[in-house]
Amino acid sequence: MRKFARIIGTGSYLPPKILTNDDLSKTIDTSDKWISARTGIKQRHIVTDESACDLAKVAVNNALEMAEVNANELDLIIFATTTPDKIFPATATLLQTAIGATCPAFDLQSVCAGFIFALTTAEQYIKTGAANKILVIGSETLSRIVDWQDRTTAILFGDGAGAVVLAGSKERGILHSKLFSDGRYLSALQVDNNYINETGFIQMKGNEVFKIAVNQLSSLAEEMLKECNMSASQLDWMVPHQANIRIISAIAKRLKIPMEKVVVTLAKHGNTSAASIPLALDVAVRDGRIQRGHTLLFEGIGAGFSWGSILLEF
Ligand code: UT7
């Protein structure tokens, strides 16, 4: 009998400090009207002195509690982040100690596609029997690498964390996943530092990213559904990377998925990179929209570019 990797717990956390569009318009030449219309974002949460590990710890404890799993039962921790606490050791090992786990733990860096890459990696461990309970985290403090004087990026990003506990199960879980990378898009989105200079800032050609995101993610979703002999109408929920409402609605329109079936949380927290999908998932699970047996499609794209999608039964 096929063994599935099934999500048995979700958790999320946003740091308490909030920066609204109106707050931003006091320091840069922008407005709530422009940001809301072009992105759908109303506010973002910003760390004061918390690290990616600190944010993750709260999200993880919520996920473990829902899963009814103790940290010492975990077989593996995969921590997706672009903003690790230190160059080394891996933030995953800091978290391992903070929650009282003893299993192997490593970081995975795939920017906004980080959670999709981490969850797909975790699934392989479960399918092969190498692990049975895995903690998968997306946690970011992107505010540290945003140039707060650059109105083309400062309006978009925020801090936060999301986590899931994945377990081996006879019940259906992850059904299909696909990952892609294409390093030729380097100049469209990057942090221009080389570890020798100081930390750099996010540099982005927004228009270019927008078009690539819509095209790649729409085609990928169509491919995923075709390969599973499914149609978009069979999806209960799409849980997309929360980057821009116009990207999300363009993809939903192309797939003919009504927006009522799309989980959108970005108004509250902006683009939290690797944290955005598990954050949105946790919100919709806890408010009762997503229920056991629902079919979900995750999809995300980020710098590199790297992108991917996961189809699963929750
Ligand atoms: O996870 C992946 C991360 N990145 C993304 O998802 C970003 C994807 N791209 C986007 O979300 C959009 O491209 C943006 C929201 C970044 C920009 O929206 P846009 O509709 O593509 O605007 P634009 O870059 O074409 O700029 C339109 C105008 C320009 O002025 P002019 O040249 O028409 O006079 C910009 O200078 O808006 C101006 N502008 C702003 N105005 C007010 C750019 N940023 C701002 C701003 N406030 N914050």
Side-chain angles (χ1 to χ4, degrees):
M1 185 186 280
R2 180 174 168 186
K3 189 177 182 184
F4 289 95
R6 186 171 163 83
I7 294 176
I8 60 165
T10 65
S12 62
Y13 180 66
L14 293 165
K17 185 178 168 194
I18 291 173
L19 197 60
T20 64
N21 293 347
D22 285 334
D23 292 335
L24 276 175
S25 69
K26 288 176 193 143
T27 53
I28 47 176
D29 182 15
T30 191
S31 63
D32 173 50
K33 195 174 164 206
W34 193 96
I35 302 170
S36 301
R38 300 280 177 140
T39 71
I41 298 165
K42 298 297 285 183
Q43 61 173 44
R44 63 287 298 142
H45 290 243
I46 302 291
V47 290
T48 43
D49 56 2
E50 307 100 311
S51 69
C53 181
D54 295 329
L55 304 185
K57 193 178 160 192
V58 188
V60 162
N61 283 332
N62 291 337
L64 289 172
E65 193 182 320
M66 187 190 287
E68 298 182 356
V69 168
N70 288 321
N72 60 14
E73 292 174 64
L74 294 168
D75 300 314
L76 184 65
I77 297 172
I78 307 180
F79 196 123
T81 187
T82 306
T83 45
D85 291 19
K86 299 171 183 290
I87 289 178
F88 73 78
T91 310
T93 62
L94 305 177
L95 180 86
Q96 182 230 41
T97 298
I99 62 171
T102 52
C103 59
F106 65 87
D107 286 2
L108 185 152
Q109 210 266 50
S110 202
V111 203
C112 299
F115 181 75
I116 299 277
F117 274 65
L119 197 59
T120 300
T121 305
E123 189 210 0
Q124 308 309 309
Y125 278 86
I126 287 179
K127 277 203 305 208
T128 59
N132 196 45
K133 287 197 173 70
I134 306 181
L135 184 58
V136 183
I137 303 141
S139 181
E140 301 280 13
T141 53
L142 284 186
S143 61
R144 288 168 37 211
I145 53 168
V146 165
D147 176 355
W148 290 102
Q149 298 310 312
D150 176 4
R151 70 175 182 169
T152 66
T153 53
I155 56 157
L156 296 175
F157 299 100
D159 303 331
V164 302
V165 180
L166 202 63
S169 173
K170 285 180 203 148
E171 291 178 86
R172 284 154 69 87
I174 293 179
L175 304 172
H176 193 35
S177 69
K178 284 176 95 90
L179 304 177
F180 297 88
S181 295
D182 188 339
R184 287 173 298 179
Y185 292 117
L186 171 69
S187 66
L189 184 55
Q190 61 172 317
V191 173
D192 193 13
N193 81 324
N194 53 15
Y195 276 127
I196 295 167
N197 300 330
E198 303 247 310
T199 308
F201 293 125
I202 296 172
Q203 297 174 348
M204 184 183 71
K205 293 178 185 156
N207 266 311
E208 210 176 308
V209 178
F210 191 101
K211 284 180 207 143
I212 297 162
V214 172
N215 286 331
Q216 294 293 6
L217 292 181
S218 308
S219 309
L220 175 55
E222 285 165 351
E223 224 174 286
M224 294 278 292
L225 290 165
K226 194 172 168 204
E227 286 170 11
C228 291
N229 294 316
M230 282 178 64
S231 69
S233 63
Q234 290 172 273
L235 292 175
D236 292 294
W237 294 101
M238 181 164 88
V239 187
H241 169 47
Q242 307 285 312
N244 182 317
I245 189 63
R246 287 160 52 222
I247 295 178
I248 294 173
S249 47
I251 295 167
K253 190 173 170 197
R254 189 160 138 189
L255 294 169
K256 298 193 176 67
I257 298 174
M259 283 307 282
E260 297 75 48
K261 287 176 139 194
V262 183
V263 178
V264 181
T265 56
L266 57 76
K268 196 178 165 198
H269 52 66
N271 183 345
T272 57
S273 193
S276 93
I277 294 172
L279 247 168
L281 173 70
D282 184 52
V283 168
V285 167
R286 286 178 193 267
D287 69 19
R289 273 179 287 172
I290 294 180
Q291 296 183 3
R292 285 282 163 218
H294 278 177
T295 302
L296 316 182
L297 184 76
F298 296 164
E299 39 123 78
I301 187 162
F305 281 164
S306 286
W307 65 101
S309 180
I310 297 174
L311 186 72
L312 68 146
E313 191 170 303
F314 185 72

